[in-house]
Amino acid sequence: MFEKALSGSRRYWTLVFILLALVGAGFFFYLRQLSDGLSITGMGRDVSWGFYISQFTFLVGVAASAVMVVLPYYLHDFRAFGKITILGEFLAISAVSMCVLFIFVDMGQPFRIFNVFLHPSPNSMMFWDTVVLIGYLLLNLFIGWATLGAERKGVAPPAWSRPLIYISIPWAVSIHTVTAFLYAGIPGRHLWLTAIMAARFLASAFASGPALLILLCMIVRRYTRFDPGREPIQALGKIVAYAMTINVFFIALEFFTAYYSGIPSHSHSLEYLFFGLEGHGSLAPFMWTSMGLAALALTLLINPSTRHNERWLATGAAAVFFSTWLDKGLGLVVGGFIPSPFESITEYSPTVPELMISLGVWAIGFLILTLLYKITVAVREEA
Amino acid sequence: MRDKIKILAGAAIFLAVALFPLWYVRTTGKASIVPEPRLVNAGKECVNAKEYMREYHMTMLNEWRDEVVREGRRSPIVIAGVEYQKSLSDACMKCHANKSDFCDVCHNYLGVSPTCWDCHNSPKEPKHEIR
Amino acid sequence: MKYDKNYELSRREFIRKAALLGLSVGGSKTLMEVVFGDDILAASTDENPATVRWAMVVDMTKCSRREDCSDCMAACHRTHNVPAISNRRHEIKWIWREPFVNAFPELKEGRLRKDLYGAGFIVLCNHCDNPPCVRVCPTRATWRRQDGIVMMDMHRCIGCRYCMAACPYGSRSFNWMDPRKILDEKAINQDYPTRTKGVVEKCDFCAERIDRGMLPVCVEACKEKALVFGNLSDAGSPVSGLLAGRFAIRRKPELGTRPEVYYIV
């Protein structure tokens, strides 16, 4: 099937080469990071995780695109999703690949990565996160490839793919839960030390993953002869609307507990993120942008008349995507480190090499996505 | 398969080139450079027999490392009546102070570059050219 | 290859052994132990009093507190080849000074005794009895020894910095760059390795000296005798004696990490 990715229109190849160029640029900066160390990033002893881990955290959420189409289709027999389950699964593959790469580029000693498997440490949530992420990647690879292959031959998917599909549903929940546990079990980082962290991760994942999937479905429809149809896109819109509502509700819950309890350490990070603390507040504009986008998204998605209009739906989906990206892919991780354990404030901003490496990883992800979608579309166009 | 002969010929040439080191050593009887680690003032004995050292010094170093760092077993070892710490710099390099003439000669030949020296100190050596 | 009729047998033997191993693991270890790591569980129960439990008492009534006194820090950083990096973001510190209100931020509300404002407190790794850094490390590159020292294995560390996120005391430093670029080559202590870029490091109570019956180098260096080191499990040790008679506080005890560095204020 892979040969289908090797022939395509001029537009397809242009996209592939642009992505390859970005990958190359990112790789160039990564080589610099290898030789100079992580000092070329904006991280430091106070904010010791930055853009890379933020992107990782956000992208784990995007991988939820798969479960949100697989679950209704296979458990509730929601036929409309039949055409797009594969798109959701392939998006998950691309997102999880980026997650793995973001962890990798964040490591100080990348050549020692196998120590994670040579010295497995079940007490570490990082260990479990590696396990569930790699498992999820493999599950989606097998399922996606098997279903697409079967579709091409016009037969039913192989019997072994069924149990895998059922496993993949709780497994998807596990990747968000375990990733949330990375943060939620750490004493002394009050922004993270919240029992609803895993619930927040699930809500924002179920919003951001399907939101991106909506946009991708529209792009596929626009540029290829494969049409996912109006119904699944509308159904996804409803899912995003609910999930985003819950996500925003959860954020409000955090504010209530932090401020009403009046315990200073519990509100410090939120204070820093949204209002600035002791004159430092460089993330506040981003956080308010995130909130603004969330408000816009909710308005557009909850209101049936705008949601039914595909233009507005696309705007709403994009707003959800960028709102959660700012909130989770920037504020959540960095905010946890501010103020420091000494209650001093060191601000963080990514550097150009750091952004370029991140862009390179995103480009790899989109390259994987492009190739997989190209294959899918070619198979569908044949049918 | 009209190109059969071409393919076979190509494969043969590829193999001949790729396996050059093997048949060269076979036919001429020796490799072009053989490492000759030079012993300088090292005394008579190593931590273990020479053959053992040659083959297993990396395993032994890893064992020392784990004993010292992870288990806190830092009791010294005794060679020919002299005490040495289980340490790269405090044992190996005490006797094999000429790192570039000893350790490096073998390792360069084999193309291994132990990362130990990124952290572990090696004795200062007078600068001289690499043969 | 020749068919080996022992093959069948040896495979069965293997399976039997594997099953036995599985059983013994299942039998001897509870699920909790497997999940949380037996050493960590052992560390967090008080029923298992180790015969040696190293601890430090920082007697701030004796510490000179003068800005120009840096005997303990200088001795430590010299001995362990800790580079003096000027960029605050990339600093590496094993033992250093923090204002009281930063070292004990939860105590800064309200009125404090006057001399505590601005007073530089000596801070270092607390060698917790229940260390979060150890709990989160994905490779066991950091772990708690039986005698309570929280060790670092620089050979195994992959540089993920999860331990830095988990440490509520800011005690851990990461090598953002190659420290040898900053260290003065002539001043390097040949008896202790430097580090390389990409690993985490911190105070290890001078394990390399303690194991040879010596005191930590900072304790030795302090002229005011403000740093006291000893075995908490030994009622006759200097630390036990001090703590029995004086009121001492610890940093952020409410987090349940059970730090083992005490401060007499």
Side-chain angles (χ1 to χ4, degrees), chain B residues 15-46:
Chain B
L15 276 179
V17 174
L19 300 180
F20 170 81
L22 284 183
W23 60 259
Y24 181 77
V25 173
R26 262 290 156 95
T27 48
T28 59
K30 66 166 160 205
S32 47
I33 331 157
V34 183
E36 301 164 19
R38 244 203 349 222
L39 287 167
V40 178
N41 304 333
K44 288 256 161 354
E45 284 175 56
C46 192

Side-chain angles (χ1 to χ4, degrees), chain A residues 277-305:
Chain A
L277 198 60
E278 295 167 23
H280 301 278
S282 62
L283 286 185
F286 296 102
M287 296 314 286
W288 285 112
T289 309
S290 167
M291 291 300 116
L293 286 170
L296 172 71
L298 288 187
T299 319
L300 290 177
L301 294 178
I302 294 178
N303 185 347
S305 60

Side-chain angles (χ1 to χ4, degrees), chain A residues 34 37-39 41-45 48-49 106 108-109 112 115 119 121-124 182 189 341-343, chain C residues 34-35 89 91 102 108 135-136 138 154-162 164-165 170 173 176 197 251-252:
Chain A
L34 270 187
L38 283 157
S39 59
T41 68
M43 293 180 272
R45 64 174 293 130
S48 48
W49 279 343
D106 187 67
Q109 287 281 336
R112 294 185 185 169
N115 283 0
H119 310 285
S121 318
N123 46 288
S124 172
L182 279 182
R189 304 271 177 204
F342 292 102
E343 295 210 349
Chain C
V34 171
V35 172
R89 273 195 300 128
E91 262 179 333
N102 294 103
K108 76 178 171 200
R135 199 154 57 223
V136 303
M154 322 265 181
H155 305 94
R156 194 182 282 187
C157 174
I158 59 173
C160 70
R161 310 191 292 295
Y162 198 5
M164 295 178 77
S173 307
W176 299 98
K197 61 175 179 286
R251 293 177 62 201
K252 305 187 184 180

Side-chain angles (χ1 to χ4, degrees), chain A residues 33-50 52-53 106-110 112-117 119-128 181-183 185-190 192-193 264 268 278 337 340-347 351, chain C residues 33-37 40 88-93 96 98 101-103 105-106 108-109 123 132 134-140 153-178 181 196-199 251-252 255 257:
Chain A
Q33 182 180 303
L34 270 187
S35 69
D36 292 1
L38 283 157
S39 59
I40 65 164
T41 68
M43 293 180 272
R45 64 174 293 130
D46 285 346
V47 183
S48 48
W49 279 343
Y52 298 149
I53 294 294
D106 187 67
M107 288 186 18
Q109 287 281 336
R112 294 185 185 169
I113 190 158
F114 288 106
N115 283 0
V116 177
F117 307 103
H119 310 285
S121 318
N123 46 288
S124 172
M125 284 303 131
M126 184 94 72
F127 168 78
W128 288 111
F181 284 178
L182 279 182
Y183 301 99
I186 292 181
R189 304 271 177 204
H190 299 285
W192 299 342
L193 191 72
H268 275 158
E278 295 167 23
F337 287 102
S340 79
F342 292 102
E343 295 210 349
S344 56
I345 296 174
T346 314
E347 289 202 282
T351 59
Chain C
E33 279 172 325
V34 171
V35 172
F36 293 107
I40 290 167
R88 275 205 55 228
R89 273 195 300 128
H90 298 155
E91 262 179 333
I92 295 179
K93 306 189 266 200
W96 70 102
E98 285 286 342
V101 291
N102 294 103
E106 66 284 0
K108 76 178 171 200
E109 299 286 322
V123 293
V134 168
R135 199 154 57 223
V136 303
C137 177
T139 60
R140 298 189 180 221
D153 186 345
M154 322 265 181
H155 305 94
R156 194 182 282 187
C157 174
I158 59 173
C160 70
R161 310 191 292 295
Y162 198 5
C163 55
M164 295 178 77
C167 175
Y169 303 107
S171 296
R172 289 176 165 267
S173 307
F174 180 73
N175 285 279
W176 299 98
M177 59 184 98
D178 184 357
K181 287 195 181 139
T196 183
K197 61 175 179 286
V199 294
R251 293 177 62 201
K252 305 187 184 180
L255 298 179
T257 53

Side-chain angles (χ1 to χ4, degrees), chain C residues 99-223:
Chain C
F100 176 78
V101 291
N102 294 103
F104 295 88
E106 66 284 0
L107 297 181
K108 76 178 171 200
E109 299 286 322
R111 297 283 182 90
L112 289 172
R113 209 174 65 212
K114 207 170 146 213
D115 65 300
L116 290 177
Y117 288 102
F121 267 52
I122 304 295
V123 293
L124 64 159
C125 170
N126 282 291
H127 296 276
C128 304
D129 268 350
N130 184 19
C133 54
V134 168
R135 199 154 57 223
V136 303
C137 177
T139 60
R140 298 189 180 221
T142 190
W143 74 101
R144 184 184 174 278
R145 295 194 344 179
Q146 280 296 300
D147 58 5
I149 297 182
V150 176
M151 272 294 276
M152 239 344 267
D153 186 345
M154 322 265 181
H155 305 94
R156 194 182 282 187
C157 174
I158 59 173
C160 70
R161 310 191 292 295
Y162 198 5
C163 55
M164 295 178 77
C167 175
Y169 303 107
S171 296
R172 289 176 165 267
S173 307
F174 180 73
N175 285 279
W176 299 98
M177 59 184 98
D178 184 357
R180 285 198 178 169
K181 287 195 181 139
I182 291 117
L183 284 166
D184 175 9
E185 208 176 311
K186 280 182 272 354
I188 289 184
N189 171 16
Q190 296 293 327
D191 294 333
Y192 199 84
T194 65
R195 265 71 63 198
T196 183
K197 61 175 179 286
V199 294
V200 172
E201 61 182 77
K202 66 172 194 73
C203 153
D204 62 0
F205 262 174
C206 284
E208 79 279 8
R209 293 168 59 91
I210 292 175
D211 287 346
R212 301 193 176 107
M214 292 185 277
L215 280 176
V217 67
C218 55
V219 175
E220 252 181 37
C222 178
K223 289 196 214 61

